[in-house]
Amino acid sequence: MRSKVTKAIFPVAGMGTRFLPATKSVPKEIMTLVDRPLVQYAIDEARSAGIKEFIFVTSRGKGALEDYFDNAPQLEQALRKKGKTELLEILKSTNMDSGEIAYMRQHKPLGLGHAVWCARRLVGNEPFAVILPDDVIAAEKSCLQQMVEAFEETQSNIVAAMEVPDDKASSYGILDIKEDMGALVSTKGMVEKPAPGTQPSNLAVIGRYILTPTVLQKLNKKTVGAGGEIQLTDAIDDARNDGEEVYGLRFKGTRYDCGSKAGFLQATVAFALARSELRDDLFKFIQDMVAADKAAE
Ligand code: G1P
């Protein structure tokens, strides 16, 4: 029987220390690109790929995330009274239906693999997606949708993949390629954060996964990997060792690493320039800045 992917896990338990002091009181996932929180981009992408159940793995201090997905009746009423229908529609589009969203606490920061494992009972015995909201991907057809299509064909584990330069490989999970078929590559291994110079390829895992329940079983072993953490990469590779296929998909789209300040700023500019009401003014502002910079040289 061919299975469908209807559940997605969003690991959002990280402390976001790279964005202190902002993240002292605001969860990183609520920080906005233009006017939408990072997490909204992740939810929209999941919906576009047919996800029906959204599982958040959270931690202490992430209450604002739960509030964000709640209905806001007072706010809605105020907007209705003022006739602000456009804003009302935007607001409503962020509401989640009852039972559509679940929160699970990760009690200890033991790594991405552990965060995913925390959601095992909510996932059960079916394939599931994992979305890391830090990785924001602008694409005509959403990255997860592209992956769901690949999953429908292969019924196997799929990770989003992108070429990275040599000196960046040690920041990622890196694929050891068995066969390169163009967009899709089959793997014969996967290494989490390889030591500089030891990476088996330049093809890095980006924060989108479609995984079989075998990966959850492998996470039960709680094997400690790179950085002293329980790594999702290791559990996926363990499933492959057991005979499952693991494919990397070179997705079509632009990925922004919103876990870093530089990536977050780039995403902000790119998403603002994509908005017709902001584009012209912002573009001119950037041109003026560049011209002033050149003149000062
Ligand atoms: C995580 C994964 C890594 C992947 C990366 C993509 O690492 O462990 O395999 O390449 O996300 O963004 P992190 O960035 O959380 O250290």
Side-chain angles (χ1 to χ4, degrees):
M1 199 187 78
R2 297 183 88 72
S3 2
K4 270 198 163 261
V5 187
T6 59
K7 296 181 181 177
I9 301 176
F10 301 80
V12 291
M15 289 197 292
T17 45
R18 278 194 267 181
F19 285 92
L20 279 170
T23 45
K24 200 174 150 195
S25 66
V26 181
K28 180 177 61 176
E29 299 76 18
I30 291 288
M31 291 180 31
T32 55
L33 294 177
V34 190
D35 50 12
R36 292 146 60 77
L38 277 186
V39 72
Q40 187 66 52
Y41 290 88
I43 290 279
D44 290 351
E45 182 175 337
R47 268 199 209 289
S48 77
I51 299 297
K52 308 277 182 239
E53 287 180 55
F54 304 81
I55 304 165
F56 280 77
V57 181
T58 67
S59 60
R60 190 180 295 274
K62 299 278 179 168
L65 259 177
E66 295 192 28
D67 289 345
Y68 176 77
F69 288 117
D70 220 340
N71 287 10
Q74 280 178 326
L75 194 52
E76 283 181 19
Q77 207 186 354
L79 293 175
R80 206 170 293 121
K81 256 192 182 162
K82 288 186 180 155
K84 303 207 165 183
T85 39
E86 213 173 298
L87 279 179
L88 192 62
E89 283 316 304
I90 292 175
L91 193 64
K92 280 188 174 166
S93 73
T94 66
N95 290 351
M96 301 291 269
D97 276 345
S98 302
E100 211 181 21
I101 190 163
Y103 302 93
M104 180 61 73
R105 278 265 176 127
Q106 184 188 23
H107 295 107
K108 291 183 195 160
L110 298 179
L112 176 60
H114 179 259
V116 169
W117 177 80
C118 288
R120 66 200 178 281
R121 295 207 173 86
L122 294 174
V123 170
N125 192 30
E126 51 185 278
F128 60 99
V130 178
I131 297 190
L132 310 187
D134 269 4
D135 280 329
V136 176
I137 300 172
E140 226 163 86
K141 182 187 282 178
S142 81
C143 178
L144 197 65
Q145 171 72 46
Q146 296 173 43
M147 292 171 73
V148 163
E149 286 171 12
F151 177 80
E152 277 165 3
E153 262 177 46
T154 60
Q155 296 284 303
S156 299
N157 298 284
I158 315 267
V159 300
M162 184 182 102
E163 320 288 339
V164 295
D166 283 342
D167 63 335
K168 293 280 188 309
S170 60
S171 305
Y172 293 92
I174 300 288
L175 302 182
D176 194 353
I177 299 171
K178 185 163 78 179
E179 194 187 345
D180 196 332
M181 295 160 280
L184 215 54
V185 303
S186 63
T187 70
K188 53 179 158 79
M190 243 171 118
V191 197
E192 180 65 18
K193 306 206 167 64
T198 68
Q199 64 270 21
S201 78
N202 284 47
L203 204 52
V205 178
I206 298 305
R208 304 286 184 277
Y209 307 77
I210 294 179
L211 302 173
T212 65
T214 311
V215 174
L216 294 176
Q217 284 161 28
K218 298 299 177 192
L219 286 169
N220 274 332
K221 293 200 223 164
K222 307 231 183 89
T223 313
V224 174
E229 297 190 337
I230 300 170
Q231 296 291 353
L232 184 57
T233 302
D234 295 342
I236 300 170
D237 200 43
D238 209 358
R240 185 200 54 77
N241 257 325
D242 251 13
E244 289 200 355
E245 291 287 347
V246 177
Y247 293 98
L249 177 71
R250 290 190 180 94
F251 57 92
K252 291 200 179 84
T254 309
R255 173 256 188 173
Y256 298 95
D257 173 11
C258 291
S260 78
K261 283 174 208 167
F264 193 92
L265 289 169
Q266 286 160 14
T268 302
V269 173
F271 281 94
L273 286 175
R275 295 268 286 261
S276 56
E277 78 277 22
L278 298 173
R279 185 185 163 83
D280 291 353
D281 283 355
L282 181 61
F283 199 70
K284 177 153 191 322
F285 173 76
I286 294 170
Q287 277 180 322
D288 290 349
M289 294 266 283
V290 172
D293 200 52
K294 278 224 171 97
E297 266 173 19

